Amino acid sequence: IPEGPQSITARASDAAGNQSAATAGLSVEIDVTEPEQINVLRQNPSSSPTNADALTWDYEFTEEIVNLDATDFSVLNSTATITSIVNPVSTTSRITISGGNLASVNASVTLQLSGGNDITDIAGNALSNAGPTGTSQNNYIVDNTRPTISSTSTSPSLTDPTSTTPFTFFIQFNEAINPIVIGDITVSGATLDNFANPGANLFSVEVTPSGDGTITLDVAENETTDLAGNGNVAATQFSVEFDGTRPTVAITSTETSPTNAAVIPLTITFSESVSGFFVLDENNGDVTVSSGTLSNFAGSGTTYTLDLTPAGDGPINVNIAQNVAQDAANNLNTAATQFTISSDWTNPTVS
């Protein structure tokens, strides 16, 4: 009998060969074609990756099928189970899984139609295939891990404290995220400008200190999400001390002018701790003297001492030029106000 709609009639005959009239036709549908699975589509959510706690697929068939139930499927890479099967249209089965470890797992979660299923069409023809002939979206990349800021850095590389202004601050995320904006960065002690996205999951912003003091930069939690919708973990706060003030220096002595001291003690005091300042003698070092010799240099940090031996009677000028020492932020010193003292070793005469 050919496939398709058919009408079946019957006649009866007796022993003499007489036939009855044909019965009314019985309409039947002859179906010997096996049903096929056409598409498996992500229904809710419609995209992957995801952090959804329930996953729903649409299984589309060439015709209406029967005997489809949870035992015909396997859930791979998760302990979630099938919690719902509905038929939005006669040829589609909508299947939802949830529970188990779906809210915490990080894996490719797959709903697989088993090869030993007992699915048939209404006529009883068995399903011919366990995989779709068309689109196959039978898995979701489930991502329940929050993105983190894997590193922060600056250009140029900064000392702490620093005198660099402006500088560029870089924020590197550990995975693809929905881009952040400049407003997602909280700053104290500086202003932000020139926000950019110079590389994969990398963002930069120009930081201009507002003045001396502490600069902090923060990215709070949940300022952005990864592609699965997980909010970011808060960044470790970036902090640096900005010092844009040059150290000053003063030259003093316990001797007053004029003096007949054979050795004049000098004290050199910087406004803050410095490095790189030295004196070997009057010809080698950061202190210059107009008439005399220098010796016994000592000290560190903010305070240094040395001895000045006058060359003879007359005024003596002592100077410290700018840029001979630097503070921890690499600010170079300003020049000292010239120290002047008059040496007088000559005894007065009486006439």
Side-chain angles (χ1 to χ4, degrees), residues 146-204:
R146 302 175 68 185
T148 61
I149 293 174
S150 56
S151 66
T152 57
S153 59
T154 61
S155 178
S157 181
L158 302 180
T159 59
D160 190 8
T162 184
S163 60
T164 301
T165 181
F167 60 88
T168 302
F169 181 65
F170 293 95
I171 302 167
Q172 178 71 63
F173 283 85
N174 69 329
E175 61 174 305
I177 60 162
N178 293 302
I180 62 172
V181 296
I182 195 169
D184 295 327
I185 304 171
T186 302
V187 62
S188 174
T191 57
L192 304 180
D193 198 8
N194 296 327
F195 184 78
N197 180 197
N201 314 318
L202 178 67
F203 302 87
S204 66

Side-chain angles (χ1 to χ4, degrees), residues 223 270 327:
E223 291 290 357
F270 287 87
D327 64 17

